[in-house]
Amino acid sequence: MSSSKEYDEKVDRTSSVEKGAVHDYVVADTDNRYHFDAVDLDRVQRKLKQRHVQMIAIAGTLGTGLFLGSGHALQAAGPLGALIAYGLVGTTAYASLCSIGEMTSHAPISGTFPHFAARWVDPAFGFATGWNYFYTNAISVPVEVTAAGILLTFWDPDTNHQAAYTAAICVLVCAINIFGVRWFGESEFVFSIIKLLLITVLIITGLVIDLGGGPLHDRLGFRYWKNPGPLNGAGLEPKHPSLDKFLGIVSVLVQAAFSFQGMELVAIAASETMSPRRNIAKAIRRVFWRILLFYMLGVLITGMIVPFNDDSLLQSSGTAAESPYVIAMTRAGIKVLPHIINAGIFTSAFSAGNSFLFCASRVLYGLALRGQAPKIFTYCTKGGLPLAAVLAASCFSLLSFLNVSSGAATVFTWLVNLSTVGGFFGWLSMNVTYIFFYRGFRAQGLDRTKLVYHSKLQPYLAWWGICWISLFILINGFSVFWHFNASGFLTAYINVPLFLGLYVVWKVIKRTKVWKPHEMDFVTGIPTLEETELPEEPPRTVGEKIAAVLF
């Protein structure tokens, strides 16, 4: 790349972000193979409004992982064990979100954290991160489509209709994303409101049942924490009860992680968000309370109203019938709510599929922009929709038809398990990239406290995330070492050589290098605050003031 003078006051005519003048490089000009061109092909448009972003942040990840998965966690680890697992994974999810949030506050551009990884760690690391994250989200689309189809069997148990339901859900999920980001934002806004109402109703109803307010007036309190007890064992070390109970907690870490997966959606959508720095800062600051209120309180109530040895928890119907809340309501004599809950959970599964498809397409688009995916995926419509990337990601939804055939379902289950571990690599990459970002900012004399969003707990949060997530990756398939089988081992650990393989291949082919702090580029192609943030209008009416508090 030639000297920075060549780009002085050069305007990006192709980008909807109106990047304006590109400033002089902060870093010294080094090997031109590693710099990013100031004028890229980014053509997406900022159409997500503040209310969209805030609602996605508040309820975006509330889904089957919490509504149904909390029952599996309760059965495997007991009420206290499930609470510990969700709490620990919640801290790592929060650490990852704070890390990506601060980097996005500096650079709200397409490509998000895989681009940050390539720009501030190593282009090969960005390549591995991007393709791992694309796969993780793309394969999660058919997972949620399948879950939504299974939820419909609560009303229609005829399995011959499953293929038709799957096809209808696939078409709707893909259509919302093909229609554009505005449709995606509006749909997620509505879905988030439904999910918020659902989890609020479940927590309140669970509390009422626990305090004896149900038709049977049986006050439970912490009865089930005493009998059968607060912790359940994994059944791997029956001769050593304490060790077995510890293994029970470890066994639900992956399940808990699946419940938090996708929390970073607000940062991924930054390049298509109005006033991204201000809105994402607001969203991330509220995430801690969301985790505490919805996840931790939800899991606590679950453990108070259903014992971990309840036979209904062992059923794997995939519908609301296995939800601990429905089990408790049925026992308490409440008959209407289970149908309402199943409808709400169906909405959450549909919403999750919608969100994963959005994430997969935007990550693929970002990879293509930087030359790490085929150039055809950079194609955008006049309305700013990366159509080629959306269509490519949509093709993965067809994998949901594998579940219609019992033989193909085994292959599908294997792919699903790979995606869950892939989510850990995504979080790990965010925190590793942040450490490099932090070092580079400090080395170049830049003040991160002047960013619209920064966390006072950094870089300690990032290190916390790195340590725990690395441990999660290593121990996620621990049970296979008690009763070894090859398929279980591959499912748990094949992501490790896959990620390392992607890194090594790109590093060897492109001969990339790890960036030194003084070489990192914090300027090129990054819009200034004035170019992205619209003036904030103070609320005038009562309705606007209420909306300002909520959103």
Side-chain angles (χ1 to χ4, degrees), residues 12 76 108 148 197 199 274 349 462-463 478-479 481 490 537 540 545:
D12 178 3
L197 290 173
I199 190 63
M274 296 178 182
W463 282 114
F478 76 96
S479 60
F481 296 105
L490 284 174
E537 297 182 4
R540 296 182 179 88
K545 289 178 181 179

Side-chain angles (χ1 to χ4, degrees), residues 200-236:
T200 303
V201 167
L202 290 180
I203 289 174
I204 293 173
T205 305
L207 195 58
V208 169
I209 292 173
D210 185 73
L211 296 176
L216 301 180
H217 302 292
D218 180 19
R219 191 179 189 282
L220 300 173
F222 281 88
R223 180 190 303 174
Y224 299 133
W225 284 59
K226 298 175 182 177
N227 182 27
L231 296 169
N232 189 21
L236 298 172

Side-chain angles (χ1 to χ4, degrees), residues 328-387:
M329 289 173 191
T330 304
R331 288 181 175 279
I334 302 173
K335 297 179 180 180
V336 180
L337 278 176
H339 292 275
I340 298 173
I341 292 170
N342 195 70
I345 298 174
F346 170 80
T347 302
S348 71
F350 185 92
S351 168
N354 196 27
S355 298
F356 285 131
L357 179 53
F358 178 86
C359 285
S361 63
R362 270 38 177 197
V363 168
L364 180 59
Y365 175 68
L367 285 168
L369 284 180
R370 321 302 171 192
Q372 295 183 327
K375 193 175 181 179
I376 189 174
F377 297 124
T378 62
Y379 173 75
C380 265
T381 64
K382 291 181 180 179
L385 172 71
L387 184 60

Side-chain angles (χ1 to χ4, degrees), residues 12 14-19 40-47 108-111 181 268-273 358 361-362 365-366 369-370 377-387 389-390:
D12 178 3
T14 65
S15 173
S16 63
V17 181
E18 297 180 0
K19 291 172 182 172
D40 58 27
L41 301 173
D42 195 350
R43 297 175 186 268
V44 295
Q45 297 177 8
R46 300 190 185 276
K47 294 182 177 180
I109 54 179
S110 286
V181 70
I268 291 170
S271 63
E272 297 174 73
T273 301
F358 178 86
S361 63
R362 270 38 177 197
Y365 175 68
L369 284 180
R370 321 302 171 192
F377 297 124
T378 62
Y379 173 75
C380 265
T381 64
K382 291 181 180 179
L385 172 71
L387 184 60
V390 171

